[in-house]
Amino acid sequence: MSDTESQLREQFMDAFANADFPVKNQMSLVPALPNGPGTKFKADDVTITAMELAAKLGKHQDFPYEDPESLVDDIIAGLKAEDMI
């Protein structure tokens, strides 16, 4: 696991840990984000907003999610598939 991936994984876990699981769609995650859809995740030279995650990774997500770990696993996999990390 790269340092960038590790840093992003930690930030995503922190951000989504307080979501009301199970989550049925992306909009269910917005209340958990510290700055709503404007929340930014930064690691090394990568900066991704929550809006970018929603727009670019929708096809890589498989809702509903029962826990933050499975959600974050799919986010990381989607970022890799889209060559964002």
Side-chain angles (χ1 to χ4, degrees), residues 10-41 50 53 63 67-68 71-72 75:
E10 183 176 338
Q11 291 175 47
F12 295 148
M13 287 298 297
D14 288 346
F16 296 123
N18 294 324
D20 188 17
F21 286 91
V23 292
K24 294 180 172 60
N25 56 50
Q26 292 175 339
M27 293 306 293
S28 301
L29 296 169
V30 174
L33 297 171
N35 294 315
T39 300
K40 290 184 181 181
F41 303 96
L53 289 177
F63 286 94
D67 55 68
L71 170 65
V72 171
I75 292 172

Side-chain angles (χ1 to χ4, degrees), residues 33-52:
L33 297 171
N35 294 315
T39 300
K40 290 184 181 181
F41 303 96
K42 299 178 185 179
D44 298 325
D45 62 343
V46 175
T47 300
I48 305 164
T49 66
M51 289 294 288
E52 286 178 295

